Amino acid sequence: MKKYSQIRSCVFLLVLCLSFSNSWANLSSLVDVTPGTENFISCIQPKSNNVTSFSQQLIITPVNASFIPIWQVAVQNTRFLKPSTPKPSIIVTPVDETLVQKALFCAKKHGYEMRIRSGGHDYEGLSYTADVPFVMLDFTNMRSIDVDVANRSAWVQPGAVLGELYYSISQKTDTLYFPAGVCPTVGVGGYMGGGGYGNLLRKYGTAADNVVDVRFMDVNGNILDRKSMGKDLFWAIRGGGASSFGIVLAWKLRLVPVPEKVTVFILNKTLEEGATKIFHKYQYVAPTIDRNLHIRTQVFAEYIGNTTKKTIRIMFEGIYQGTRDTLLPLLDEKFPELGVRREICEEIRSIQSTVVFWGLPSSTPIEILTNRSAIAKLNNKSKSDYVRTPIPIRGLRKIWRKLMQNDGSALLMINPFGGRMADYSESAIPYPHRAGVLLQILKTVNFNGQTSDTTPTSLKRIMWLRSLDELLTPYVSKNPREAYSNYNDLDLGVGSSNYEEASLWGERYWKRDNFQKLIRIKAKVDPDNFFRRPQSIPVF
């Protein structure tokens, strides 16, 4: 990593030396020269009068032709792609830690807030929008991945996405992987900061549980690692929202062993095929079965054929860290009602399983995971919950009826916990949803077919989602009702002027003890609350 940083620094200095061929006077035609913006650019520019090329390539303002394309390319939730969305005053796309440091210094000096964008998957668009003047630090040019098979580790810069990480690992080995999510375009930088879960969580825990080191810039521009930052800050940034405390420059990840081939299966059950009873048993089996098996479910309401009658369809998606010859006897013993047959089981590489869980055939070239433009974007509003007691049959039937009232825009995605997740204490890292959690539920409505999320139809869908949230209240966790911080939801509240306000959302994401500890750490490392956004860790 040190050698890599030295090389990047040399490249950065070479860019500076070769790029400055035009005068400051010419720069005024390329950038927004309002007093604040001009001051920022004057601050961040190298000590030279020839800065046009440098600014054009790495610092973009609204008068640049590339401003909107650069801003919108990583807007992963298309409901924010509208003229009314507040955009940055300046976008900085660093190629090196030196420019990150300068951008931080100049944003503080000239009164800008800062938003840090890795992959742009945050559900409320908080990494690229704000109602105040802000600098967006976009890590698209800092996406290096260095896989070390011998030491079972990888250094990953924040602009890399999960698909690129998986692909890089697969190019060196089929017997190591990283326990993260299935969406290829999620940025590594923010994902680890919120905890991060995926198909390997029951065997290896969250992604943040498998972070072993970091390069991190604090509010004063100091670059720290695990040792120099101290155990409290290292604890906080793994699941407590790293961007509340500073800027992650790279994560060092522990790669975990996997078999050369894993077994996947997908099958669907409708109400007419006994889906309710099968799902009811699923709540008992999926969190307690062999840790090598993960069975995700997706729940939809749909019409039966060409009729006007609706049914519920539940898709069961399984991945087993082993062969079908071992999987089938396990399911025959523990979950025969599911009806998994040999012919629907497929033995494939771990990298191919990521493709399958993204909804594509296993034969799809794995290079698609590195093609950010090939992966469909979202257009939705989402909420999350955790289930600690199995939902009774009567409760499931209420949920199914509610889904049938929807116009087809709704989806429930449910992941079982248990296994390795129950081995960690709630305070091992800030992510607290551990022992006793059976299921995590993601509830979402899309705005497909709508011009925005504010049309009458879109607003109706949002109201339906909120009413589903209310209906679920008796069946999900309580005191607090838990939620996943990486699925940020501003409906939970944004106030942070005092603990009573902040606890409305903070205790749901992190629980009381962890949230209070995060607040104490924040007060030490960023006492003036420079790194702030809605639902960031507050300073009182």
Side-chain angles (χ1 to χ4, degrees), residues 4-13 95-96 141-142:
Y4 166 78
S5 297
Q6 291 172 340
I7 293 171
R8 294 296 284 177
S9 296
C10 292
V11 171
F12 177 73
L13 292 173
V95 296
D96 185 270
N141 291 329
M142 292 181 65

Side-chain angles (χ1 to χ4, degrees), residues 448-467:
N448 297 345
Q450 301 301 302
T451 56
S452 76
D453 60 347
T454 58
T455 67
T457 296
S458 294
L459 294 175
K460 184 177 179 181
R461 292 175 181 177
I462 293 173
M463 291 302 297
W464 178 89
L465 179 63
R466 290 170 178 162
S467 66

Side-chain angles (χ1 to χ4, degrees), residues 161 163-164 166-167 184 351 354-355 365-371 375:
V161 295
E164 293 166 343
Y166 299 146
Y167 181 81
I351 186 74
T354 298
V355 173
I366 60 173
E367 286 74 17
I368 194 172
L369 298 177
T370 68
N371 186 347
I375 306 298

Side-chain angles (χ1 to χ4, degrees), residues 25-294:
N26 291 334
L27 179 62
S28 64
S29 65
L30 295 170
V31 298
D32 180 0
V33 290
T34 58
T37 303
E38 182 178 344
N39 289 339
F40 179 89
I41 293 171
S42 298
C43 172
I44 201 171
Q45 72 180 18
K47 298 305 180 182
S48 167
N49 290 327
N50 301 318
V51 296
T52 303
S53 183
F54 168 76
S55 296
Q56 192 174 16
Q57 292 176 19
L58 305 178
I59 305 170
I60 304 96
T61 68
V63 299
N64 291 79
S66 59
F67 179 85
I68 291 297
I70 288 173
W71 176 79
Q72 69 183 13
V73 69
V75 175
Q76 299 295 345
N77 194 333
T78 60
R79 71 183 173 105
F80 297 108
L81 291 178
K82 54 189 178 184
S84 60
T85 298
K87 299 173 181 63
S89 304
I90 302 156
I91 300 173
V92 179
T93 57
V95 296
D96 185 270
E97 295 172 354
T98 306
L99 188 55
V100 177
Q101 200 171 43
K102 287 286 288 183
L104 171 61
F105 171 78
C106 295
K108 290 170 59 182
K109 180 177 180 180
H110 293 289
Y112 287 101
E113 290 192 8
M114 178 172 279
R115 299 292 185 267
I116 303 164
R117 185 167 77 175
S118 174
H121 259 277
D122 50 328
Y123 277 24
E124 297 285 11
L126 302 181
S127 65
Y128 49 83
T129 69
D131 291 325
V132 297
F134 73 103
V135 173
M136 186 180 82
L137 194 62
D138 189 341
F139 277 113
T140 185
N141 291 329
M142 292 181 65
R143 53 208 283 187
S144 172
I145 300 169
D146 182 10
V147 176
D148 183 346
V149 173
N151 290 305
R152 293 186 175 184
S153 66
W155 274 105
V156 187
Q157 287 188 309
V161 295
L162 294 181
E164 293 166 343
L165 171 60
Y166 299 146
Y167 181 81
S168 296
I169 297 170
S170 74
Q171 296 308 288
K172 292 193 173 184
T173 178
D174 280 330
T175 58
L176 293 174
Y177 216 56
F178 186 69
V182 300
C183 182
T185 52
V186 169
V188 169
Y191 177 80
M192 308 296 169
Y197 74 96
N199 288 341
L200 287 168
L201 89 162
R202 300 191 63 252
K203 186 162 187 177
Y204 293 116
T206 69
D209 292 323
N210 292 279
V211 169
V212 294
D213 208 341
V214 67
R215 284 182 65 80
F216 182 84
M217 186 175 294
D218 69 12
V219 71
N220 297 313
N222 301 310
I223 297 178
L224 310 172
D225 62 9
R226 176 178 184 169
K227 183 178 181 180
S228 60
M229 69 171 49
K231 64 179 182 179
D232 280 352
L233 182 53
F234 187 64
W235 176 87
I237 63 175
R238 294 173 298 142
S243 61
S244 285
F245 302 93
I247 304 168
V248 173
L249 302 169
W251 296 102
K252 186 179 182 182
L253 311 177
R254 177 191 300 112
L255 305 184
V256 299
V258 294
E260 289 188 359
K261 293 291 181 69
V262 299
T263 303
V264 298
F265 64 85
I266 298 176
L267 61 85
N268 292 276
K269 297 290 184 179
T270 63
L271 294 185
E272 293 71 25
E273 296 169 319
T276 302
K277 289 186 177 179
I278 293 171
F279 185 86
H280 184 254
K281 183 167 182 179
Y282 164 85
Q283 298 176 96
Y284 293 87
V285 174
T288 59
I289 203 167
D290 188 325
R291 297 181 181 197
N292 287 302
L293 178 60
H294 183 82

